[in-house]
Amino acid sequence: MLDDMVDHLQGRRQQPVWQPLPPDVRDGFRQPLPVTGAAAEDVYARFRETILPYSTGNTHPRFMGWVHGGGTPLGMLAEMLAGGLNANLGGRDHAPIEAERQVIRWANSAFGLPETAGGLLVTGSSMANFIAVLMARRAALGQDSRKTGIGNAQLTAYASGGVHRCAPDALDMAGLGSDALRRIPVGPDFRMDLAALRAAIAADRAAGFLPFLVVGTAGSVDVGAFDDLHAIADIAETEDLWFHVDGAFGALAALSPKLSPKVAGMERARSIAFDFHKWAQAPYDAGCILVRDQADQIATFASPAAYLTATARGLSGNAPWPADLGPDLSRGFRALKLWFALQVFGADRLGAVAEQSCAVARHLAGRIESEPELELLAPVPLNIVCFRYRAAAAETLDALNAQIVADMQEAGLAAPSTTVIGGHLAIRAAFVNHRSRTEDADALIDAVLATARAAVSQAV
Ligand SMILES: *Cc1c(COP(=O)(O)O)cnc(C)c1O
């Protein structure tokens, strides 16, 4: 299995990025529950035939859709070791918990948070942002609100219009309703309009709402924009709001001397959500919530239970337990792949991967600007390029660009995704994978032009 997987990763560039599941393969997943066991070799053969060729494709250098990391063989091996240990990181006194604490301390120091800071590894930034909303909610309503709920409090939160959809979802899950999130308009640079933010807070206060949270975005999912985090931190201070940063992928710009000015002010946040499974290339899943003051985390999540009480001695020692820092009790050893990666690659090499993705994005933007049939639909401040094919009748462009993307994906040539920018459907190429090079951006241009020309000539 190990040899096959290493070969698979090594030959990835020569394979299609993605291929749709044939119907008979999909049907194979509808078999009834096996009552008697089968030989592991036979089931492994089934894995090679029906799963391996039909994965998302994010290990491929020409996968550019959404925001997906590429993973590493080192991460794969660490996952194997973690599986062998079968550690439960909910609590108790064992080295795997120290490894997670070390990873959290490394992340806090990389982002400039103080010694009081804490954090927790979670599935992804969706969960990390949710945890931040829960901490901010408790800070606004007081400790009793954990027992009594939110009552009649009309809490409101603020984020840029480009905020990830998990932010309104987090408010919904926190019982505040997604309408509690005020989406502040962005300027032409896709950063939150700060005058509009101040005005929205003032209007809400005047109307009897209780503003409690402002979310700064570090690397927006559409175009890779960074809000002015220092300015937002100032406003949060004046207005007494919890300042949270969603830096799902962009926070890791802090690891690159070239990119780190973009996250200036992030070190003033009370909490930061980010993912190791995006720019840091850890295998899924590896999200992280960092908290400026670990006391906020404990106050939000710790609960007494006789069968889960930490003691001064023995295996029940080592408080505070991770189970008191977030919603999960049983937790796997996600930290091990990060403990390996941060030591083997070092912060510098992870920062260099971020820089390389931005260089590939700039190369792609340059190619688009020199192709008359293509146009950029947004600036390229980071690693994300939004553009479209424009050499057809204006009213057909949205459908045509959607078709180009689906055709390229199904042909296995390249896998960008789509978004909507300024009312236009955009082809969106996000460079996150450490394997992507300028030649992959060139291949995307070739594929877009060939696919578009074929589609246009067929339509005529
Ligand atoms: C990916 C992303 C998220 C969600 O993170 P998951 O790890 O997918 O849960 C949130 N915000 C931004 C800006 C993202 O890019």
Side-chain angles (χ1 to χ4, degrees):
M1 287 173 177
L2 269 180
D3 286 346
D4 286 352
M5 232 36 216
V6 170
D7 290 347
H8 168 77
L9 290 175
Q10 199 158 36
R12 202 61 189 91
R13 187 177 277 281
Q14 282 74 49
Q15 301 151 8
V17 180
W18 174 78
Q19 42 188 343
L21 268 81
D24 60 316
V25 172
R26 201 182 295 274
D27 284 347
F29 291 99
R30 309 243 152 83
Q31 299 297 323
L33 169 71
V35 177
T36 48
E41 290 81 353
D42 294 346
V43 179
Y44 178 55
R46 200 171 298 156
F47 165 84
R48 293 189 47 170
E49 280 157 31
T50 67
I51 295 181
L52 186 60
Y54 305 108
S55 60
T56 335
N58 53 305
T59 51
H60 196 289
R62 287 194 300 282
F63 185 97
M64 306 156 185
W66 303 275
V67 184
H68 275 49
T72 64
L74 179 74
M76 171 178 81
L77 296 172
E79 290 281 69
M80 182 188 76
L81 301 182
L85 280 176
N86 191 27
N88 180 347
L89 278 79
R92 293 155 288 271
D93 193 4
H94 51 122
I97 289 193
E98 296 305 332
E100 177 161 347
R101 287 176 183 156
Q102 172 140 62
V103 166
I104 295 292
R105 273 195 299 272
W106 281 334
N108 277 320
S109 83
F111 296 163
L113 292 185
E115 285 289 307
T116 52
L120 192 69
L121 296 175
V122 293
T123 40
S125 285
S126 301
M127 178 56 83
N129 283 311
F130 178 47
I131 288 175
V133 168
L134 296 178
M135 291 190 296
R137 187 184 68 176
R138 187 212 63 91
L141 298 180
Q143 197 63 19
D144 259 6
S145 66
R146 285 192 59 197
K147 275 192 294 198
T148 59
I150 62 166
N152 297 323
Q154 295 210 286
L155 297 176
T156 50
Y158 306 82
S160 105
V163 72
H164 193 273
R165 68 143 226 214
C166 71
D169 288 354
L171 288 159
D172 165 21
M173 292 189 294
L176 306 174
S178 55
D179 282 354
L181 183 72
R182 314 301 202 206
R183 291 160 192 260
I184 308 301
V186 294
D189 52 2
F190 292 83
R191 310 173 93 194
M192 197 193 307
D193 176 338
L194 300 167
L197 170 62
R198 283 194 204 89
I201 296 170
D204 279 336
R205 285 208 200 280
F209 291 98
L210 180 59
F212 80 114
L213 164 69
V214 58
V215 180
T217 294
S220 69
V221 65
D222 265 355
V223 304
F226 287 75
D227 286 334
D228 182 342
L229 301 177
H230 265 305
I232 295 176
D234 288 341
I235 294 172
E237 237 168 68
T238 316
E239 299 283 348
D240 194 21
L241 308 182
W242 182 287
F243 172 36
H244 171 69
V245 173
D246 178 10
F249 64 98
L252 284 163
L255 300 186
S256 147
K258 259 192 222 154
L259 298 174
S260 62
K262 290 181 182 292
V263 292
M266 183 168 72
E267 70 284 356
R268 295 171 63 190
R270 273 183 87 170
S271 54
I272 301 171
F274 78 103
D275 284 320
F276 283 102
H277 56 219
K278 292 176 174 173
W279 253 350
Q281 314 296 329
Y284 287 90
D285 46 32
C288 186
I289 178 73
L290 300 178
V291 194
R292 166 168 227 88
D293 190 346
Q294 198 193 43
D296 278 317
Q297 220 182 345
I298 294 173
T300 307
F301 293 103
S303 304
Y307 48 87
L308 285 174
T309 304
T311 55
R313 295 179 43 215
L315 181 52
S316 295
N318 203 20
W321 288 1
D324 284 332
L325 305 176
D328 291 316
L329 177 53
S330 292
R331 310 171 60 250
F333 197 2
R334 278 191 194 99
L336 187 60
K337 58 196 171 194
L338 312 176
W339 185 83
F340 267 102
L342 289 167
Q343 293 179 87
V344 172
F345 303 129
D348 278 358
R349 258 174 92 194
L350 294 177
V353 167
E355 279 173 25
Q356 174 186 295
S357 348
C358 296
V360 176
R362 276 196 306 277
H363 176 81
L364 178 62
R367 288 289 317 267
I368 290 164
E369 282 175 318
S370 63
E371 290 289 346
E373 288 161 88
L374 304 177
E375 67 177 332
L376 280 177
L377 288 179
V380 181
L382 203 66
N383 61 329
I384 301 177
V385 185
C386 293
F387 67 106
R388 67 173 176 171
Y389 186 81
R390 67 171 171 193
E395 67 279 7
T396 64
L397 286 182
D398 281 1
L400 175 61
N401 280 282
Q403 184 192 338
I404 293 167
V405 168
D407 285 354
M408 283 191 303
Q409 290 175 351
E410 286 175 1
L413 295 173
S417 55
T418 60
T419 188
V420 175
I421 303 279
H424 302 304
L425 189 119
I427 302 174
R428 179 180 164 288
F431 295 95
V432 183
N433 186 342
H434 62 99
R435 300 182 181 97
S436 300
R437 302 275 184 274
T438 52
E439 70 195 79
D440 300 302
D442 292 334
L444 173 66
I445 295 283
D446 294 345
V448 167
L449 291 175
T451 309
R453 288 168 190 157
V456 169
S457 72
Q458 246 169 24
V460 168

